[in-house]
Amino acid sequence: MTKYILDNADPNAEDRMAGLERCYDPFTFQRLGQLGIAPGWTCLELGGGGGSVGRWLADRVTAAGTVVVTDIDPRWTAYENVGHLRVQQHDITGGEPIAEAPFDLIHARLVLIHLPTRRRVLSKLVSLLRPGGWLVLEEFDCTRAHVYRARETGQVDLFLKWIHAFLAHIAEAGVSLTWAREVYQTMSEAGLVRLDATGYETASPAGSPGSTVHRSNASQLRPSLVASGRLTDAEYDTLMALFDDPTFTPSSYLLISTQGQRPVM
């Protein structure tokens, strides 16, 4: 079973997933809504997380369609298997098939970025599409991080020091910091057409969804980053206080949404 450095079993996972949904769902729903999802479609939501995208898809395909939500650890998926919306524990890097294939739509947010075999998985997802079906992958561009507002330069320096420490740590665990900018080319090489990509980020002051994601990630990896010497406990205490400071406003992570269609044969 694939291991993720930001493990769903961690106590911070629930807050992170809630923050991700509140921050990025409006953008994701706008992107998916442009594809003309209709009653009767068969959809795969890969890495379902808290389940919000699966519910949104189920409302649009109606009982005439099917939505399969998979995750290696579906504990936070906030619904049971009911009618045309089904949850399945599944590792896309393994050999277990998904019985409902082929799909009219496959969507994954922040999944392939964690997988060392991400290019092979993308090809596998393309093979699970029916002709005319859509693949939508949404990933963080980890090369961007900035602060919109701060009272002093030391706050900016500390935030950026944490971001760089965080990114170095997850890169050592196999996360690709540049994958979001490589998806478009990889989709093209896999034979998809009608390619499109666009990004979304937002200012993330205290209490915002983006700030919740930053705080959850920082809390979860604090033991590792302190043990590695990348940050001290004192720096961490100051950092966590920053996330409660209404005058401190970093950016959210930049999410790149890339889509492509399998040619109709």
Side-chain angles (χ1 to χ4, degrees), residues 31-53:
R31 291 286 287 169
L32 295 179
Q34 296 170 353
L35 300 180
I37 300 167
W41 277 36
T42 301
C43 303
L44 171 63
E45 173 64 9
L46 181 69
S52 60
V53 178

Side-chain angles (χ1 to χ4, degrees), residues 2-251:
T2 301
K3 298 293 185 182
Y4 291 88
I5 190 167
L6 295 171
D7 193 344
N8 283 3
D10 189 274
N12 293 285
E14 186 172 18
D15 283 344
R16 181 177 63 254
M17 289 182 186
L20 288 170
E21 289 182 347
R22 289 192 296 124
C23 189
Y24 297 105
D25 275 1
F27 173 67
T28 293
F29 296 161
Q30 178 186 46
R31 291 286 287 169
L32 295 179
Q34 296 170 353
L35 300 180
I37 300 167
W41 277 36
T42 301
C43 303
L44 171 63
E45 173 64 9
L46 181 69
S52 60
V53 178
R55 288 190 297 271
W56 186 90
L57 289 171
D59 287 343
R60 278 142 190 85
V61 306
T62 73
T66 300
V67 175
V68 181
V69 179
T70 68
D71 204 296
I72 61 168
D73 183 357
R75 71 180 68 198
W76 302 114
T77 307
Y79 41 77
E80 302 293 334
N81 294 326
V82 178
H84 65 293
L85 176 59
R86 295 196 284 279
V87 181
Q88 178 181 341
Q89 185 174 14
H90 185 267
D91 184 350
I92 193 62
T93 66
E96 181 183 358
I98 302 175
E100 290 79 3
F103 295 97
D104 298 291
L105 167 69
I106 298 175
H107 171 257
R109 187 169 68 192
L110 305 175
V111 177
L112 274 66
I113 191 172
H114 292 275
L115 306 177
T117 58
R118 59 188 64 85
R119 294 177 184 276
R120 181 158 55 85
V121 169
L122 187 150
S123 296
K124 180 177 181 179
L125 295 177
V126 170
S127 74
L128 296 177
L129 291 171
R130 70 174 76 253
W134 289 93
L135 175 62
V136 181
L137 300 180
E138 299 184 313
E139 308 282 14
F140 284 151
D141 181 348
C142 299
T143 65
R144 288 172 54 96
H146 56 95
V147 175
Y148 285 106
R149 181 177 64 169
R151 286 183 285 104
E152 55 189 55
T153 58
Q155 294 178 328
V156 178
D157 293 342
L158 177 59
F159 176 79
L160 294 179
K161 181 177 181 179
W162 169 71
I163 284 287
H164 294 150
F166 168 66
L167 295 179
H169 187 72
I170 63 175
E172 289 171 358
V175 174
S176 172
L177 305 184
T178 60
W179 169 242
R181 294 187 278 112
E182 299 167 13
V183 175
Y184 192 104
Q185 177 71 27
T186 310
M187 282 189 177
S188 176
E189 293 169 353
L192 298 185
V193 297
R194 299 181 66 184
L195 297 168
D196 178 66
T198 190
Y200 174 82
E201 72 166 36
T202 184
S204 299
S208 68
S211 180
T212 298
V213 176
H214 283 311
R215 171 185 283 280
S216 300
N217 287 345
S219 295
Q220 184 164 345
L221 294 184
R222 177 171 185 162
S224 299
L225 294 182
V226 171
S228 70
R230 288 190 164 114
L231 286 170
T232 67
D233 272 317
E235 287 174 324
Y236 242 106
D237 289 340
T238 303
L239 176 69
M240 300 309 285
L242 272 185
F243 294 136
D244 293 324
D245 183 346
T247 68
F248 180 74
T249 308
S251 66

